Amino acid sequence: MRDYRKILGQNVREARKAVGISQEALGMEVEIDRTYISGIERGVRNPSLDVIVKIAEKLGVSPSELLAAD
């Protein structure tokens, strides 16, 4: 089984960098701590569907794009 936490983390990091915002700025936008964003990007956090949707909306992508494996 694929490690979707790592896939999600990599996709969040790439999308965040593509729009040019910091972990801190993204955290403030979705009302979660920067350290939680860092944990998501490192694949050590398992965010809820609601958090995934909030992050996707702020990054201008769909939740499915954040979960898509290469």
Side-chain angles (χ1 to χ4, degrees):
M1 184 170 158
R2 293 179 185 221
D3 187 346
Y4 280 94
R5 284 184 289 187
K6 290 203 182 283
I7 292 167
L8 173 67
Q10 180 180 359
N11 290 341
V12 167
R13 178 177 287 125
E14 289 173 2
R16 178 181 60 76
K17 287 184 175 186
V19 296
I21 63 173
S22 67
Q23 289 177 343
E24 185 173 9
L26 178 58
M28 291 176 76
E29 289 288 325
V30 297
E31 300 177 340
I32 59 177
D33 194 81
R34 178 204 57 80
T35 59
Y36 195 79
I37 296 291
S38 173
I40 292 171
E41 289 187 0
R42 290 182 287 120
V44 298
R45 294 286 186 169
N46 191 19
S48 70
L49 179 57
D50 290 339
V51 170
I52 293 170
V53 170
K54 283 182 180 181
I55 290 171
E57 287 175 352
K58 293 300 176 185
L59 295 177
V61 297
S62 70
S64 63
E65 288 177 83
L66 293 181
L67 294 168
D70 291 335

